[in-house]
Amino acid sequence: MTHLLRNRRLVATCAVGFCVLFTQVAMFTYVTFHVAAPPYSLSTIALGWLFSVYLVGAVVTPFSGRWIDIYGHRVGIASAMAIGGGGALLTLVPSLTVIVCGLALCATGVFVAQATSSSYIGAVTTQDRALAVGLYSTFYYAGGSVGAALPAALWTRGGWPACVALIVAVQAAGVVIAFTQWSAVPPHHDVLLPDTGV
């Protein structure tokens, strides 16, 4: 395990994974409070239907692999986070239709970001890949746990705009980590796609 922790690019990938699930959980947990309140006042059933926007990300993600191969992981993560960040900002528009579109973009960005960061594990590890995937998964799900709890403090003080600011900041942090710690990897490099889920 210690040799994996000394792998700077792997640790950076774990940090990016933390940011990815943080944004997903924070977005879809706290937006429900936002649209359950006036003027939207969505019912519990309607709130559940918001999660159907995940299907957009599920459709787009299979096409992202080839795109990442062509343009690289750093461009892939930057594009994914930009899509997600743009979607998060759209949820500030006082229109339910625009909010749903923003959620669809955010989910798509997260799905593509997850595909990008998890595939980078195989590019930066040559041994103990299963252990490397386990390390990544630990950080990934820790990000989800923190994303469920931390925005609560901002929600009580600044409501949904404060939560969106945090989400966009975490997405930006993920991009900064990737661009400063990841190196360009040739498209033909062997990669591993761990099944960590989203």
Side-chain angles (χ1 to χ4, degrees):
M1 176 64 85
T2 56
H3 67 285
L4 291 177
L5 294 175
R6 288 194 299 268
N7 184 332
R8 176 177 52 84
R9 290 188 293 169
L10 176 60
V11 172
T13 304
C14 292
V16 172
F18 179 99
C19 295
V20 170
L21 196 58
F22 179 103
T23 61
Q24 177 83 338
V25 173
M27 171 61 68
F28 283 88
T29 298
Y30 291 88
V31 76
T32 58
F33 297 123
H34 176 54
V35 295
Y40 312 107
S41 302
L42 294 188
S43 67
T44 303
I45 294 174
L47 292 174
W49 276 105
L50 289 177
F51 291 86
S52 64
V53 299
Y54 280 25
L55 295 173
V56 178
V59 170
V60 172
T61 302
F63 298 99
S64 66
R66 179 63 182 154
W67 193 82
I68 293 168
D69 286 342
I70 295 172
Y71 296 103
H73 289 86
R74 288 185 293 187
V75 173
I77 198 70
S79 300
M81 292 298 203
I83 292 169
L89 293 173
L90 278 179
T91 65
L92 294 173
V93 177
S95 164
L96 186 58
T97 301
V98 177
I99 290 172
V100 171
C101 290
L103 290 175
L105 286 174
C106 193
T108 299
V110 166
F111 275 58
V112 174
Q114 164 63 358
T116 305
S117 59
S118 62
S119 68
Y120 195 67
I121 297 171
V124 298
T125 56
T126 56
Q127 58 181 348
D128 293 327
R129 285 184 170 178
L131 192 57
V133 170
L135 183 64
Y136 174 86
S137 297
T138 300
F139 276 81
Y140 180 77
Y141 288 111
S145 298
V146 176
L150 183 60
L154 281 77
W155 176 264
T156 57
R157 290 174 172 80
W160 181 237
C163 291
V164 170
L166 175 62
I167 290 166
V168 172
V170 171
Q171 289 172 321
V175 173
V176 170
I177 293 169
F179 266 78
T180 57
Q181 302 300 317
W182 289 2
S183 62
V185 177
H188 64 272
H189 199 103
D190 183 30
V191 295
L192 177 66
L193 293 170
D195 183 17
T196 56
V198 172

